[in-house]
Amino acid sequence: MRVLAWHVHAAWMTSFVQGPHDYVVPVLPDRGEDGRGRAQTYDWPASVSELTPEELRSTDFDVVLLQRPSEVELFERWSGRSVGDHGVPAVYVEHNTPRGDVNDWIHPLGKRTDIPVVHVTEFNRAMWDNGVAPTVVIEHGVPDYGYRYTGELDSLVVSVNEPVRRWRVAGTDLVARIAEQVPVSVYGMKTDELTARITSGLAQVDDLSQAQLHDRMAQHFAYLHPYRWTSLGLSLVEAMTLGLPVLVLAATAAPESVPPEAGLVSSDVDLLGATALRWLADPDEARESGQAARAHALRRFGLDRFLDDWERLLKEVAR
């Protein structure tokens, strides 16, 4: 099949495009948010090609994968066709938790019956008011990047983009609290802005490619996942796959996604910090938890399961 999908979340898309289809991503001259084209720092296969809006108009697609409400109008304007029952078959992937007052958590596609909404966690599906839209859950899947854990760096690692702008959503304020007990390194876009906000305990900040990030993450003794309001960060799944023990704020889908043997899931921030200190003093315990985390991640979030789930849905929608 030929599948059209905007490049919105590079890490998620990296897994999605490992399937057996031809994938087309829109590209604009400025590579802005509506036309980023192929990822520049992720390893995407040759089956992913770029097309301009003008080229989309003369190209046929079997399925359109939507990820933002604006893409319905974008596709219709650029291609001259509609999506859904009276146009090109489509699915909508909901990566995010809803925002605003709980009574206003109505999904943008909640009034349509012809476009399935695919949630990445059961938590997401339960939180959104999906209206009459058919829904399905396809949990994250990541490639097996191999067991890389060394734990040689005595600082926790956090992976987050724009940690200052997303201060409370991403739990960056909790990172600052834990950094008072144990050093923390933070990797991602605009992490350099943290140096003006976190004045003690910040070991390293850097913006790395995916391959660099995985190598660096595996050098830290544990992964910290402080997010308050997100579906389930792929970086958490990747950290477990790499063999890191994890310290996770008990929010959103984390409690049902991380088993006790993989680390600690708790809303007690001081306990998360104390557990980090215990692992520093007992690296064997940390390593054992990391091995359990990897085994769990491979079982639950393996790439084959993810691609099989998507293959079934895409075939059903294309029919």
Side-chain angles (χ1 to χ4, degrees):
M1 287 188 281
R2 182 180 291 127
V3 181
L4 174 69
W6 272 263
H7 170 187
V8 176
H9 297 286
W12 182 89
M13 193 75 164
T14 297
S15 295
F16 181 73
V17 298
Q18 305 303 318
H21 306 295
D22 292 326
Y23 305 91
V24 175
V25 290
V27 64
L28 293 171
D30 63 356
R31 291 190 175 267
E33 63 178 16
D34 288 337
R36 289 175 175 155
R38 287 177 55 92
Q40 305 298 299
T41 59
Y42 286 74
D43 185 18
W44 286 8
S47 56
V48 183
S49 60
E50 299 177 339
L51 287 182
T52 66
E54 293 76 20
E55 291 170 326
L56 291 182
R57 187 168 286 271
S58 59
T59 304
D60 291 328
F61 300 100
D62 296 292
V63 179
V64 177
L65 187 141
L66 306 163
Q67 299 170 79
R68 299 169 299 166
S70 61
E71 292 173 4
V72 174
E73 186 275 333
L74 268 179
F75 178 77
E76 292 177 350
R77 175 157 48 91
W78 287 358
S79 73
R81 286 159 284 175
S82 60
V83 290
D85 283 347
H86 302 292
V88 182
V91 298
Y92 187 102
V93 182
E94 183 50 75
H95 296 283
N96 302 313
T97 43
R99 301 291 173 86
D101 184 86
V102 64
N103 291 318
D104 298 324
W105 288 355
I106 301 168
H107 198 274
L109 269 69
K111 294 182 178 180
R112 298 192 65 153
T113 60
D114 58 339
I115 300 179
V117 176
V118 183
H119 292 286
V120 296
T121 64
E122 287 289 358
F123 180 89
N124 253 32
R125 177 157 67 171
M127 293 303 104
W128 279 103
D129 177 354
N130 296 290
V132 297
T135 63
V136 64
V137 173
I138 298 182
E139 290 191 328
H140 290 315
V142 300
D144 181 5
Y145 298 107
Y147 180 74
R148 302 191 192 183
Y149 181 73
T150 65
E152 64 204 67
L153 298 179
D154 291 343
S155 62
L156 294 167
V157 57
V158 177
S159 176
V160 57
N161 289 324
E162 300 187 73
V164 172
R165 181 182 68 82
R166 303 167 67 202
W167 189 256
R168 285 189 56 80
V169 169
T172 313
D173 59 312
L174 305 181
V175 174
R177 276 182 57 184
I178 291 174
E180 295 174 358
Q181 300 181 61
V182 59
V184 181
S185 296
V186 186
Y187 303 124
M189 294 169 55
K190 298 186 177 181
T191 50
D192 57 312
E193 297 176 355
L194 280 175
T195 56
R197 295 289 300 269
I198 300 179
T199 57
S200 64
L202 194 60
Q204 299 181 66
V205 295
D206 207 346
D207 184 5
L208 306 170
S209 69
Q210 187 188 41
Q212 292 171 325
L213 176 62
H214 291 160
D215 286 338
R216 187 78 62 83
M217 285 172 65
Q219 295 174 350
H220 293 268
F221 77 93
Y223 181 80
L224 173 62
H225 192 71
Y227 288 76
R228 280 190 178 91
W229 195 239
T230 183
S231 299
L232 183 69
L234 267 172
S235 57
L236 171 61
V237 179
E238 291 173 348
M240 291 193 293
T241 302
L242 295 169
L244 279 84
V246 293
L247 300 168
V248 186
L249 186 70
T252 63
E256 59 194 31
S257 303
V258 180
E261 61 269 21
L264 176 65
V265 180
S266 176
S267 57
D268 186 336
V269 179
D270 291 332
L271 182 58
L272 293 172
T275 303
L277 290 173
R278 191 179 77 237
W279 284 348
L280 275 175
D282 188 353
D284 289 339
E285 181 190 353
R287 185 176 297 275
E288 183 177 341
S289 293
Q291 290 170 342
R294 172 171 164 78
H296 170 75
L298 292 178
R299 284 193 303 269
R300 179 159 179 174
F301 301 106
L303 185 63
D304 287 344
R305 189 275 308 156
F306 174 80
L307 293 176
D308 286 347
D309 288 350
W310 269 105
E311 184 69 4
R312 283 192 293 272
L313 180 61
L314 290 175
K315 286 182 177 178
E316 179 181 335
V317 170
R319 282 201 300 267

